Amino acid sequence: MNAAATRRLRVHILRYNPAEPEKAARFQTYELDEADGMTLFILLSELREKQDPSLQFDFVCRAGVCGSCGMVVNGRPGLACRTLTAELPAEFTLAPLPTFELIGDLSVNTGKWMREMSERLETWVHAKQEEVDLRRHEEKMDPDLADEVYELDRCIECGCCVAACGTAHMRTDFVGAVGLNKVARFSLDPRDERSEADMYELVGNDDGVFGCMSLLACNDLCPKELPLQSQIAYLRRRMAKQGTG
Amino acid sequence: MRVIYSDVLVIGGGLAGLRVAIGARRRGFDPLVLSLVPPKRSHSVAAQGGMQASLGNVIKGEGDNEDVHFEDTVRGSDWGADQSVVRMFVNTAPKAVRELAAWGVPWSRVRRGDREVIINGQKVTLTEKDEAHGLIAQRDFGGTKKWRTCYASDGTGHAMLFAMGDRAIAEGIPVLERTEALSLIHDGKRCFGAVVRDLITGELAACVARATVVATGGAGRLYRVTTNAVINEGIGHALALDTGVAALGNMEAVQFHPTAIVPAGILVTEGCRGDGGLLRDAAGHRFMPDYEPEKKELASRDVVSRRMEEHIKKGHGVQSRFGEHLWLDITLLGRAHIERNLREVKDICRYFLGLDPADKWIPVRPAQHYTMGGVRTDHTGQNPALAGLFAAGESACWDMHGFNRLGGNSVAETVVAGMIVGEFVADWCEGAELEVSTRLVQEFVDRERASLDGLCHGGSEDASVLRIAMQEIMTSKVGIFRDGAELQAAVDGLAELYRRSRNIGVRSNAPGANPELVTAYRTQKMLRLALTVACGALARTESRGAHFRADHPQRNDQAWLKRTLATWPDPLADLPTLNYEPLDIMTMELPPGWRGYGARNQIEHPDTERRQQQVSEIRERLGSAGRFAVQEALMPYEHLLPVSIRGRNERLGEKLP
């Protein structure tokens, strides 16, 4: 470590507990010393242990793979666990992801939203043959195609794309980039036997792919760097063709 | 009192729990899943490198089958495993991977023709068969004779959990997200469900069911340095322990993974070494061949972790401001391979270390990784003491890992156990009427409410302080190298913390979930569990698998070929009660011997030689009748499996009869 003095961080956290509606939403300021390699996971854990046991937030894997800790860091949605304080100014704000139901402080109910989206878009393989003989060889798949499916399968449902989406702020039923990416993923998967017409039923409307205004903050902010811009554009072209054809 | 009824209450929404729920649903029962977090955020998601199943599709997997997988797993366990359960597992693993393929997991696939790989630090060209093109691919992992680990890049757990989670949604399985079980409802003979707490509102309810399944994963957070997610606090283990009746098996068997990054403790997959990565010391020297000339970096995890710590103790560690570490070098694999097959590793290095692993070495040191011990069950997943209580996955001890789990066998176990236990749970439900006294349910709810009230109006102890002290003791005294004096100090220290934990008080009275209250009640449970680990380790005066006693360095089959069973019958007691369950060598398919790596100095059991003679005689007599006949004669197991998942597995070189 170089000889620079330890920074004193000032963190403004948006506080609100729906169980205490009489206390209005407010920013509360905490101060603490920065440590080497400090992430927002370490910072918030320390605040809760040492300064404010009532502070609510969500972490699970703390390794950037589970999607629990999406929050708005200095105005940008992102994963808190892999955000290093060294990349932030000494004074910054934390707020919960908008558009999701607030549980308290920085904790939002992305799980409920994602389950509803999955039920609506039926985000699972629809196979004609329900039962496969598990003793026999698996169906073959082209190795490149398997990699392409994996690429879109990497979504962790963190909700950053939804929180950053202009349409999602206006249309509560918009499926978001996360939903459109799922449709793209299952369309690409040869094991899913749904047709273009089936997919059009799911997203061929303003709550689906035609609701996207191409602002594309989703693409800029996706923590897994999914190719959302190209996938949404491609899906829109296909759905427009399906709708007019 | 709010009571929620279902047929099968599954506590835990990871791979094992979801697969049990799906199995029960497919048999016509109503499952209900409780999950601390949305199921797709469970720790199963963090498994990177892959799932072992002896498909043998790649050229380096040629000749692989259940027999080889069986032997690797038993050797890995240091003969602590239940060999019948291992047989059930290895025969079901290929079916599990194929089921997941049908459900949408984008397994990486074999490409026909030549490809360049790194083996033992050298470039080698492999030629994959035409007929394998498009089948599921396998990579190399530690402690295995063949390339057996199926994978989806290095996001295998993620791909599996999302396919499983979506399958559960497709089956309409309800999940109570952000709900925690506080205690199991039971009458000392039978389990009737659990008292649960809503982690949004703080409200209590009773979930009553014919069968209750603990599938809550590991207990890594007993330790300060662990690869486990923050929710892996061993609460499911503690729920069973707190019944006073159900036993936990082999809790002293704790795995330390060789390659956690320093200082964050985040895992980088064994696939790094499986794909050809090397371990290096401060001088840049590749040291593993000096210790393990046969398996080198790919000995089992317990062995590699011990060798790394040994090498650091000899003064070869790299000094850093976060303490000493060693290097994991994957630069030799090349950027293209890393960006295709090790991309999560690349992300972790980029975000948490600020380095590119295609150019630079990764700082690593062993960290707590896996809990071999768990809720003791028979081969059906049911606890022998409490009827209707089942367990599956990492929180269970049925017991397929013994004293050391092989890499790639954990996610494999989750789905295999889910398939098997799901069927047995359904069988149980077919015969089990739900007769429970509402008074009993009310008593359990009242007890939990009184306990929470007690914490809210409690004493002066701060749960966070006690928890940090516990984690420090576990990491420093109940770690990779153990000895009697240190373990005694650990037990004494933990017992003192446990006594203090009776005086925990919660400062915050915020309505709703109240995170401080959550920490408080979990810490009391975790301390009992930590004591169970430490007491088991202190009592076991031998070295086996991941349990290494510097003062008893030999594996002692004569005195210790037995499973630890820990219970906590008296809630006012300060320590658990330990009992032991012997393993019978005379029924083993693979009698105890040398593992093929690590130390070679066990104290033999008198039965070993006798059984070895029997086994040799059977192999000689039936060898020409084929491997299935030999296996059947050595240790019949197929009758133990549910009928629906019996049967052989097709391979390129092995057609179905």
Side-chain angles (χ1 to χ4, degrees):
Chain A
M1 187 172 177
N2 60 32
T6 303
R7 285 200 304 175
R8 186 79 180 160
L9 301 177
R10 278 171 59 81
V11 191
H12 309 289
I13 298 180
L14 188 59
R15 304 293 311 272
Y16 182 66
N17 184 350
E20 296 177 288
E22 67 282 4
K23 286 193 195 168
R26 68 229 171 257
F27 273 102
Q28 190 168 338
T29 301
Y30 299 88
E31 289 192 20
L32 77 170
D33 288 334
E34 187 172 33
D36 282 334
M38 184 180 250
T39 61
L40 290 183
F41 162 65
I42 294 168
L43 178 147
L44 285 166
S45 302
E46 189 180 318
L47 284 184
R48 184 148 87 189
E49 268 166 23
K50 296 193 178 149
Q51 296 192 29
D52 189 340
S54 70
L55 196 55
Q56 294 191 63
F57 48 79
D58 293 317
F59 289 98
V60 178
C61 75
R62 59 79 171 90
V65 297
C66 81
S68 298
C69 65
M71 61 183 73
V72 181
V73 183
N74 253 1
R76 284 173 76 88
L79 297 182
C81 74
R82 67 180 202 188
T83 302
L84 294 163
T85 55
E87 293 163 0
L88 296 167
E91 189 162 350
F92 59 90
T93 61
L94 299 176
L97 290 184
T99 72
F100 298 100
E101 191 176 289
L102 182 71
I103 291 172
D105 303 334
L106 301 172
S107 171
V108 294
N109 204 336
T110 49
K112 185 179 169 192
W113 194 99
M114 293 297 164
R115 170 122 185 177
E116 284 168 6
M117 178 275 296
S118 282
E119 286 172 349
R120 209 166 117 209
L121 300 181
E122 302 188 8
T123 59
W124 53 87
V125 164
H126 289 53
K128 268 203 197 91
Q129 199 187 340
E130 264 286 289
E131 292 297 317
V132 292
D133 185 348
L134 300 177
R135 299 170 310 144
R136 300 199 178 275
H137 273 306
E138 62 277 11
E139 285 286 322
K140 290 186 174 180
M141 189 189 282
D142 179 79
D144 290 327
L145 180 57
D147 287 352
E148 284 171 44
V149 174
Y150 175 73
E151 180 68 29
L152 303 187
D153 196 72
R154 293 177 70 241
C155 170
I156 57 174
E157 299 186 1
C158 61
C160 289
C161 61
V162 180
C165 174
T167 304
H169 284 259
M170 296 187 298
R171 306 183 73 93
T172 50
D173 288 334
F174 184 58
V175 299
V178 54
L180 297 174
N181 177 66
K182 300 258 174 196
V183 171
R185 181 239 177 272
F186 286 100
S187 301
L188 190 63
D189 193 326
R191 295 167 292 198
D192 193 318
E193 291 173 348
R194 281 179 287 185
S195 65
E196 286 287 278
D198 294 332
M199 295 305 187
Y200 186 83
E201 285 296 312
L202 296 173
V203 293
N205 54 37
D206 285 351
D207 286 332
V209 76
F210 302 127
C212 170
M213 301 185 289
S214 303
L215 299 174
L216 294 171
C218 56
N219 191 79
D220 299 342
L221 290 168
C222 174
K224 302 313 277 188
E225 296 176 330
L226 294 175
L228 298 171
Q229 177 175 6
S230 59
Q231 289 303 318
I232 293 173
Y234 179 52
L235 185 64
R236 182 163 43 208
R237 203 165 67 211
R238 280 170 41 208
M239 291 296 110
K241 199 172 153 203
Q242 176 66 32
T244 56
Chain B
M1 175 179 64
R2 185 166 167 242
V3 183
I4 304 161
Y5 294 92
S6 62
D7 292 321
V8 183
L9 176 67
V10 180
I11 305 172
L15 280 168
L18 290 174
R19 186 60 187 81
V20 168
I22 291 168
R25 166 54 54 92
R26 292 189 159 198
R27 290 274 300 273
F29 295 99
D30 281 332
L32 175 65
V33 177
L34 295 187
S35 186
L36 295 175
V37 297
K40 287 176 187 164
R41 313 214 188 288
S42 304
H43 190 51
S44 305
V45 87
Q48 296 169 9
M51 155 170 182
Q52 283 204 46
S54 60
L55 299 184
N57 292 329
V58 295
I59 198 76
K60 295 289 277 183
E62 205 170 32
D64 198 14
N65 58 36
E66 297 84 3
D67 297 354
V68 190
H69 192 185
F70 169 81
E71 293 210 357
D72 285 346
T73 301
V74 173
R75 288 176 198 282
S77 82
D78 221 351
W79 279 271
D82 180 323
Q83 297 193 8
S84 297
V85 170
V86 177
R87 267 291 170 190
M88 293 166 69
F89 162 74
V90 297
N91 199 60
T92 310
K95 297 178 177 73
V97 80
R98 284 168 175 165
E99 178 176 82
L100 286 166
W103 290 356
V105 171
W107 297 112
S108 297
R109 302 288 174 141
V110 183
R111 183 189 310 277
R112 66 168 71 90
D114 289 354
R115 62 179 176 131
E116 207 166 70
V117 299
I118 306 287
I119 298 175
N120 192 20
Q122 306 295 318
K123 279 188 183 163
V124 177
T125 300
L126 298 179
T127 308
E128 298 296 350
K129 288 177 280 199
D130 277 351
E131 63 266 37
H133 186 79
L135 293 174
I136 295 170
Q138 289 79 40
R139 59 161 45 127
D140 200 7
F141 249 50
T144 64
K145 284 209 178 66
K146 300 284 179 183
W147 290 23
R148 187 184 300 126
T149 303
C150 307
Y151 58 99
S153 183
D154 63 345
T156 313
H158 166 91
M160 292 170 69
L161 186 62
F162 271 58
M164 190 73 84
D166 284 333
R167 192 64 238 159
I169 295 172
E171 308 260 351
I173 292 171
V175 180
L176 292 182
E177 290 181 4
R178 295 177 184 267
T179 306
E180 171 166 13
L182 297 180
S183 65
L184 298 177
I185 301 168
H186 68 94
D187 61 6
K189 295 186 189 70
R190 184 163 167 193
C191 181
F192 301 104
V195 180
V196 307
R197 183 168 185 266
D198 186 319
L199 292 175
I200 296 177
T201 64
E203 284 164 12
L204 298 189
C207 286
V208 171
R210 297 198 229 199
T212 304
V213 185
V214 173
T216 49
R221 289 282 156 178
L222 297 179
Y223 287 79
R224 178 172 57 78
V225 185
T226 175
T227 64
N228 282 193
V230 297
I231 55 172
N232 296 127
E233 297 175 313
I235 299 305
H237 292 80
L239 291 175
L241 188 65
D242 289 355
T243 63
V245 184
L248 302 184
N250 286 345
M251 286 306 295
E252 67 270 30
V254 179
Q255 178 169 86
F256 296 81
H257 195 291
T259 59
I261 64 168
V262 177
I266 295 168
L267 174 76
V268 290
T269 174
E270 184 158 315
C272 291
R273 284 171 290 134
D275 290 1
L278 306 175
L279 291 169
R280 298 186 187 278
D281 63 16
H285 172 62
R286 180 189 177 197
F287 58 90
M288 276 308 295
D290 305 343
Y291 296 100
E292 295 292 329
E294 292 169 57
K295 295 295 285 184
K296 308 179 181 74
E297 282 84 359
L298 288 172
S300 62
R301 287 176 179 173
D302 56 329
V303 171
V304 177
S305 288
R306 274 198 294 277
R307 297 305 197 188
M308 289 170 74
E309 291 295 331
E310 195 180 336
H311 203 61
I312 289 173
K313 274 194 184 140
K314 286 182 186 167
H316 299 298
V318 184
Q319 306 289 332
S320 85
R321 63 173 184 262
F322 301 111
E324 288 178 272
H325 64 79
L326 294 161
W327 298 114
L328 172 63
D329 172 11
I330 61 170
T331 60
L332 67 167
L333 308 184
R335 180 171 299 280
H337 179 87
I338 290 168
E339 291 182 354
R340 191 180 184 97
N341 287 321
L342 296 168
R343 48 190 307 173
E344 298 298 333
V345 170
K346 183 168 182 259
D347 266 6
I348 286 165
C349 291
R350 171 175 147 203
Y351 287 104
F352 295 96
L353 295 167
L355 64 82
D356 181 345
D359 294 330
K360 286 189 168 162
W361 297 346
I362 307 166
V364 294
R365 188 163 187 175
Q368 193 285 344
H369 181 61
Y370 190 83
T371 307
M372 269 78 74
V375 180
R376 179 72 184 127
T377 76
D378 60 17
H379 71 281
T380 70
Q382 184 159 211
N383 179 265
L386 269 189
L389 174 64
F390 292 77
E394 190 172 348
S395 59
C397 175
W398 62 333
D399 150 6
M400 71 162 268
H401 304 302
F403 277 76
N404 177 65
R405 171 179 71 73
L406 291 185
N409 263 355
S410 66
V411 277
E413 181 192 26
T414 62
V415 287
V416 166
M419 291 170 83
I420 293 172
V421 176
E423 290 299 318
F424 286 121
V425 162
D427 287 351
W428 161 262
C429 285
E430 279 175 359
E433 291 307 315
L434 180 60
E435 287 171 25
V436 57
S437 133
T438 50
R439 175 172 301 186
L440 181 75
V441 175
Q442 185 73 56
E443 274 172 24
F444 272 84
V445 174
D446 289 347
R447 190 185 304 171
E448 290 308 319
R449 183 164 288 127
S451 159
L452 297 181
D453 286 348
L455 290 167
C456 290
H457 304 95
S460 54
E461 294 288 355
D462 179 336
S464 287
V465 171
L466 300 183
R467 172 184 296 226
I468 291 166
M470 169 194 73
Q471 292 170 328
E472 198 52 54
I473 289 175
M474 293 300 285
T475 287
S476 61
K477 296 184 173 8
V478 197
I480 295 177
F481 289 101
R482 303 169 174 181
D483 73 57
E486 288 282 290
L487 288 168
Q488 186 61 58
V491 170
D492 294 344
L494 291 168
E496 174 60 21
L497 293 175
Y498 182 49
R499 279 190 286 276
R500 286 171 60 189
S501 76
R502 295 192 174 117
N503 198 30
I504 287 176
V506 174
R507 291 164 290 165
S508 160
N509 58 359
N514 192 349
E516 190 188 13
L517 179 61
V518 174
T519 302
Y521 61 72
R522 288 189 192 165
T523 298
Q524 291 177 326
K525 289 182 161 69
M526 291 170 79
L527 278 164
R528 282 193 287 276
L529 200 57
L531 273 165
T532 305
V533 176
C535 287
L538 176 61
R540 187 173 283 274
T541 48
E542 66 154 354
S543 292
R544 184 180 298 275
H547 171 71
F548 187 85
R549 288 281 299 256
D551 48 350
H552 298 277
Q554 285 178 297
R555 190 181 88 204
N556 186 344
D557 291 343
Q558 201 172 337
W560 283 104
L561 195 58
K562 54 190 181 185
R563 189 173 292 124
T564 308
L565 296 180
T567 51
W568 204 298
D570 177 3
L572 298 176
D574 286 333
L575 295 174
T577 301
L578 300 183
N579 286 294
Y580 293 92
E581 177 182 14
L583 275 68
D584 182 8
I585 292 174
M586 296 312 288
T587 61
M588 286 182 184
E589 178 174 339
L590 185 66
W594 181 54
R595 304 167 83 189
Y597 41 79
R600 200 195 293 241
N601 63 347
Q602 67 268 20
I603 299 169
E604 299 288 357
H605 189 285
D607 284 350
T608 299
E609 199 182 337
R610 280 202 299 146
R611 180 59 181 163
Q612 191 56 60
Q613 275 174 6
Q614 288 178 355
V615 169
S616 304
E617 187 273 321
I618 291 171
R619 285 191 184 283
E620 205 161 297
R621 179 159 51 83
L622 290 175
S624 57
R627 68 182 188 95
F628 295 104
V630 171
Q631 197 287 316
E632 170 77 20
L634 288 172
M635 190 185 70
Y637 76 95
E638 196 173 31
H639 63 287
L640 301 174
L641 280 169
V643 176
S644 58
I645 47 177
R646 291 181 191 171
R648 295 182 187 177
N649 299 296
E650 185 179 36
R651 291 183 184 80
L652 287 174
E654 203 168 48
K655 298 294 167 210
L656 289 181

